[in-house]
Amino acid sequence: MTETWLWVPHDRDGGTIDAASSFSSQAEAEAWLGDHWRSLAESGAASVTLMRDETVIYDMSLAEE
């Protein structure tokens, strides 16, 4: 069975915005986020959650520090 990796963006209140495209590997998902995190933040995402199928892998803030 193939795993599906997905970034789930959240607004400042923790609500889900709109799910990004799915990916076939964690490396592919993380590379995509590296290229697109600014546009996600500009569209209102404050954080993202990386999911592997139904499992939360980790959460990450999109705030620049």
Side-chain angles (χ1 to χ4, degrees):
M1 181 151 73
T2 303
E3 295 177 329
T4 300
W5 295 81
L6 179 71
W7 287 111
V8 180
H10 302 281
D11 61 23
R12 295 189 196 293
D13 297 323
T16 301
I17 297 176
D18 186 23
S21 300
S22 60
F23 305 92
S24 59
S25 70
Q26 182 174 359
E28 185 181 323
E30 290 173 340
W32 180 89
L33 186 64
D35 292 337
H36 295 90
W37 71 269
R38 282 189 205 271
S39 61
L40 284 171
E42 289 169 357
S43 69
S47 65
V48 290
T49 300
L50 180 60
M51 305 284 297
R52 182 185 66 223
D53 297 323
E54 299 295 318
T55 304
V56 172
I57 302 303
Y58 63 85
D59 298 306
M60 187 167 80
S61 171
L62 296 178
E64 288 187 73
E65 295 184 30

